[in-house]
Amino acid sequence: MNTHILSGSLSASAGVPLPPVAHAPFSEAWQHAKFMVFDRVIEQLETRGQRAEALGAQPLLGLIEASVAQLGSVIGLALNGEERTQLAEDVRNEMTGFGPLEPLLADPAIDDIIVNGPHAVYVERAGRLAPVPARFRNDAHLMNIIQRIVSPIGRRVDETTPFVDARLPDGSRVNIVVPPVALDGPMVSIRKFKRQRMRPDDFVRAGAMSGDMLDYLSRAVRARLNILVCGGTGSGKTTLLNMLSGFIDGAERLITIEDAAELQLDRAHVVRLETRPPNMEGANAISPRDLVRNALRMRPDRIILGEVRGAEAIEMLQAMSTGHDGSMATIHANSPRDVFGRLEMLLGFAGMAGDGRAFRRYLASAVNIVVHLARMGNGQRRITSIVEVTGVESESYSLNPVHAFEEQPPLSGLGRFRTLSRLSFFAERMGDGGIARPAIGPAE
């Protein structure tokens, strides 16, 4: 790694004091001081023939702290103890971590980090996207951090491969797009991995679903009904899928298939499979379809597919309709009914023969329940509908809406949860008469 790419012309004449930097970690003065220390440490390491990554965390931090103290006395940099510690930590992040991204990754309140070029960084907290003062010095600085993200996992991003999906060591998903595709500089999108999985009651307390919805879904999972979770990007599909898996019997053998492993199944018998993109020569890719096919040979009780988006739809639906009851997956769609149009399209693209009626009968026999999530106007993520697939009537699917969220006023994110059907189509399988309790609860 060429660490000098970070610095540029950062040196200052000895004895020339910098502007005050107290408690301003993103100010120009702070950035200037940080990279002066950075340059000094790099020079010392090169003189010794050492690399920052090989030195060890504590020895490196000690070297940085000594350089902070030395430079402070030379250039009149007045810092208190807390600021010296912060500056040393920032320098270490630049040398061995992810630079300005590190404090954002460490903040548990942040769900997403969006970098639109070196000087525009946004984060999502509680469903709201807002700018933050974190920034990179220039495109070269940002590209250096990007290479540090992709190199450990054998990925490459450059003009010939201008976009890539990756994963951070903590499991966070990363998408990167660089010029010439990205016209305004390198772009980074990070979906942070939640170390603390949400429990069922957390969804109810957060207003993501009603208690009746939770009761219904828990019984549906235990009854081994096949469930598709749909919604838009960032609506919480994977988070819900993760929670629902907690209702599966611990003795069952589960196989999960994902592009980037996010599911945190609290079960002893789980086999996790992950897709692999092509290598630098464009070969040796492993697709979701490859993994679903292989999973069917591994004696699964249930298959959980992180996202259905391509030809793997054929194998997944075959699994759902041929003995692997209780399987679950997510899919991008704007409503439960849209799910079936998308699945029909995917089956056609995958080369599955048959007319529209055959597709509809096939899908209606495989999918039992569709759960739709949405991110509301106020940033709140909610289950907006739960429908049962009861068959095919004429040219359309027969759906039984069971639960819904009614938003009032429009685009406010406020409203109430309603139970729409008291009797489940799958009453016999779900036990307890399959009764959906008719209580109506407000959502704040």
Side-chain angles (χ1 to χ4, degrees):
M1 176 186 70
N2 182 12
T3 46
H4 280 302
I5 199 172
L6 294 174
S7 55
S9 56
L10 297 171
S11 58
S13 301
V16 178
L18 291 174
V21 296
H23 303 292
F26 300 111
S27 68
E28 290 297 333
W30 184 278
Q31 297 294 314
H32 191 65
K34 177 174 69 174
F35 285 106
M36 287 183 67
V37 176
F38 178 92
D39 282 345
R40 185 180 184 91
V41 174
I42 289 296
E43 289 173 2
Q44 294 181 61
L45 290 174
E46 290 181 344
T47 299
R48 302 176 185 180
Q50 296 175 317
R51 296 177 65 251
E53 295 85 349
L55 189 59
Q58 288 307 313
L60 177 61
L61 186 58
L63 182 61
I64 295 171
E65 289 173 341
S67 296
V68 170
Q70 291 167 5
L71 276 177
S73 61
V74 170
I75 64 176
L77 186 61
L79 298 174
N80 60 35
E82 180 182 347
E83 291 163 349
R84 285 195 298 272
T85 299
Q86 179 64 58
L87 182 58
E89 187 64 30
D90 284 359
V91 173
R92 184 171 68 169
N93 288 339
E94 294 292 349
M95 302 189 76
T96 61
F98 299 125
L101 297 178
E102 285 286 351
L104 306 179
L105 291 168
D107 187 342
I110 293 176
D111 296 318
D112 291 89
I113 303 170
I114 308 295
V115 180
N116 295 337
H119 306 305
V121 180
Y122 295 79
V123 301
E124 181 189 304
R125 292 186 178 94
R128 297 285 191 172
L129 202 61
V132 292
R135 64 184 186 278
F136 299 80
R137 289 190 62 82
N138 48 39
D139 283 354
H141 182 193
L142 177 52
M143 281 300 301
N144 190 64
I145 299 300
I146 286 173
Q147 296 300 344
R148 197 174 294 170
I149 291 172
V150 301
S151 295
I153 56 175
R155 307 285 172 84
R156 180 182 69 180
V157 58
D158 52 30
E159 289 187 1
T160 59
T161 310
F163 46 84
V164 67
D165 290 315
R167 187 174 72 244
L168 297 180
D170 69 352
S172 297
R173 288 188 300 174
V174 185
N175 177 263
I176 296 166
V177 186
V178 302
V181 173
L183 302 181
D184 299 317
M187 306 287 174
V188 180
S189 302
I190 301 176
R191 171 65 55 81
K192 287 179 60 179
F193 181 79
K194 292 291 187 183
R195 295 178 176 85
Q196 185 78 27
R197 60 176 291 183
M198 288 185 68
R199 302 295 176 180
D201 290 345
D202 295 333
F203 283 81
V204 177
R205 281 194 294 268
M209 66 173 70
S210 67
D212 291 338
M213 286 178 169
L214 177 59
D215 174 72
Y216 175 86
L217 290 173
S218 66
R219 289 187 289 115
V221 173
R222 294 187 179 106
R224 300 182 62 86
L225 296 173
N226 296 320
I227 299 174
L228 284 183
V229 178
C230 69
T233 301
S235 58
K237 299 185 295 297
T238 301
T239 303
L240 177 63
L241 195 66
N242 200 62
M243 184 274 284
L244 293 179
S245 68
F247 296 115
I248 297 174
D249 191 302
E252 295 186 41
R253 175 174 167 84
L254 311 181
I255 297 182
T256 68
I257 297 169
E258 302 176 85
D259 284 327
E262 292 182 282
L263 292 170
Q264 308 169 65
L265 305 191
D266 188 18
R267 290 291 178 272
H269 204 163
V270 176
V271 177
R272 302 197 307 160
L273 304 179
E274 188 176 64
T275 62
R276 185 177 70 192
N279 59 21
M280 294 184 181
E281 289 72 38
N284 299 324
I286 298 177
S287 70
R289 189 175 194 180
D290 296 329
L291 294 179
V292 175
R293 284 174 170 171
N294 192 76
L296 293 173
R297 305 185 185 104
M298 298 173 67
R299 198 238 168 252
D301 288 312
R302 307 192 198 212
I303 296 175
I304 300 178
L305 182 58
E307 181 182 347
V308 180
R309 68 167 188 272
E312 69 277 1
I314 292 179
E315 283 75 16
M316 186 66 202
L317 292 167
Q318 286 176 345
M320 287 180 165
S321 57
T322 56
H324 300 90
D325 294 341
S327 294
M328 296 184 282
T330 74
I331 187 169
H332 280 83
N334 293 324
S335 71
R337 197 167 289 278
D338 285 347
V339 165
F340 297 99
R342 180 165 175 78
L343 286 173
E344 289 181 22
M345 179 186 68
L346 293 177
L347 294 178
F349 287 163
M352 184 173 178
D355 59 16
R357 291 182 180 178
F359 279 2
R360 285 189 284 274
R361 288 195 299 270
Y362 178 58
L363 292 174
S365 68
V367 180
N368 302 132
I369 294 172
V370 179
V371 182
H372 181 258
L373 293 108
R375 183 163 52 181
M376 316 303 288
N378 61 356
Q380 173 73 54
R381 294 173 172 87
R382 300 191 196 279
I383 291 180
T384 59
S385 63
I386 301 174
V387 302
E388 298 175 334
V389 186
T390 61
V392 177
E393 293 182 1
S394 184
E395 298 297 317
S396 64
Y397 296 92
S398 177
L399 304 180
N400 177 39
V402 181
H403 295 280
F405 174 74
E406 296 181 350
E407 187 178 25
Q408 287 294 335
L411 303 180
S412 67
L414 304 176
R416 60 180 180 172
F417 294 105
R418 293 184 62 92
T419 297
L420 305 178
S421 176
R422 299 190 182 191
L423 182 64
S424 168
F425 180 76
F426 302 103
E428 186 174 345
R429 287 182 61 177
M430 292 175 68
D432 299 326
I435 300 298
R437 290 170 296 182
I440 298 174
E444 301 300 333

